[in-house]
């Protein structure tokens, strides 16, 4: 009897079965310890893009990193207005309860969210038709002005500048959270910017001293 799954879900189920046979069974002790709780030391904020899985890029085991993924790897500024603050809740949990020691914001090449922020091609769309995305990437509007004035709004140089500017925006917004700001000042927490280039698979790290991203040797 064939599996009652769509071809798309069927591929995931097949992967799950391989995981059960290989990944889970061979690491029973680790999974047993993880069932008691998690103690990740690093939080990674990354894009939802299917090509940039932080666990794969950093080759980590389950339980090593606490991950939040969203369009363009954005962090909104600290605010207390009514609403649902998913990223802020995840940050609060990671910093105040898990007590992570480092937060890495990782942008990436060929980011559709950053490209849309640059071209503003989704501006004016209705919610459910692109409006939610447009509102979210409006977090990049201020950074966009400088990128556009230097590089224009089309082409890879402009797109990469926007992608890397997005990382800096998120780092700046992280520092608007009182709990993050105080822990960074005391040395309990470190903030780091990163950029993964899909085209060549090279990870770049941000030097906040000069604002440049440099490849990891």
């Amino acid at each position: 009897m064939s599996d009652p799954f769509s071809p798309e879900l069927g591929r995931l189920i097949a992967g799950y079965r391989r995981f059960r046979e290989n990944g889970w069974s061979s690491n029973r002790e680790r999974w047993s310890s993880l069932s008691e709780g998690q103690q990740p030391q690093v939080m990674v904020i990354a894009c939802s893009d299917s090509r940039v899985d932080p666990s794969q890029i950093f080759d980590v085991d389950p339980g090593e990193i606490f991950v939040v993924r969203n369009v363009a790897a954005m962090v909104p500024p600290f605010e207390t207005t009514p609403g649902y603050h998913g990223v802020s809740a995840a940050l609060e949990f990671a910093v105040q309860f898990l007590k992570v020691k480092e937060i890495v914001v990782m942008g990436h090449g060929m980011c559709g969210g950053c490209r849309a922020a640059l071209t503003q091609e989704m501006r004016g769309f209705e919610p459910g038709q692109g409006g939610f995305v447009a509102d979210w990437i409006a977090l990049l509007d201020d950074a966009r002005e400088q990128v556009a004035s230097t590089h224009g709004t089309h082409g890879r140089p402009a797109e990469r500048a926007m992608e890397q500017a997005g990382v800096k925006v998120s780092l700046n917004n992280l520092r608007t959270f009182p709990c993050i700001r105080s822990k960074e000042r005391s040395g309990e927490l470190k903030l780091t910017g990163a950029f993964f280039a899909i085209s060549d698979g090279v990870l770049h790290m941000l030097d906040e001293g000069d604002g440049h991203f440099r490849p990891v040797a």
Side-chain angles (χ1 to χ4, degrees), residues 22 49 82 94 157 160 207:
N22 301 311
D49 193 300
R160 175 164 284 208
D207 181 339

Side-chain angles (χ1 to χ4, degrees), residues 23-134:
W24 189 83
S25 296
S26 63
N27 288 286
R28 289 287 296 273
E29 289 186 10
R30 181 167 184 80
W31 286 106
S32 178
S33 66
L34 288 174
S35 70
E36 302 298 323
Q38 59 172 323
Q39 293 181 312
Q41 300 295 295
V42 178
M43 178 182 192
V44 179
I45 300 167
C47 185
S48 299
D49 193 300
S50 60
R51 299 166 292 182
V52 285
D53 179 1
S55 295
Q56 184 177 38
I57 292 169
F58 294 114
D59 191 25
V60 293
D61 289 327
E64 286 194 55
I65 58 175
F66 185 79
V67 180
V68 170
R69 299 178 70 176
N70 61 53
V71 174
M74 293 308 303
V75 174
F78 178 79
E79 57 184 2
T80 57
T81 54
Y84 299 100
H85 303 287
V87 175
S88 300
L91 284 167
E92 185 178 69
F93 182 71
V95 172
Q96 299 290 66
F97 296 93
L98 295 178
K99 301 187 185 304
V100 297
K101 296 179 180 178
E102 181 136 12
I103 300 176
V104 178
V105 177
M106 185 177 72
H108 71 94
M110 312 303 292
C111 179
C114 287
R115 184 175 62 249
L118 186 61
T119 63
Q120 298 191 328
E121 60 199 65
M122 304 188 79
R123 180 147 296 187
F125 280 38
E126 292 295 320
Q129 303 297 320
F132 289 128
V133 175

Side-chain angles (χ1 to χ4, degrees), residues 157-197:
E159 290 173 5
R160 175 164 284 208
M162 188 74 257
E163 291 155 1
Q164 295 185 345
V167 173
K168 297 174 184 177
V169 169
S170 285
L171 287 171
N172 288 337
N173 286 346
L174 279 171
R175 293 182 171 112
T176 66
F177 286 76
C179 62
I180 292 175
R181 189 167 58 243
S182 64
K183 284 178 178 288
E184 185 182 30
R185 286 175 178 170
S186 68
E188 298 172 74
L189 180 66
K190 183 178 179 182
L191 307 185
T192 301
F195 175 82
F196 180 74

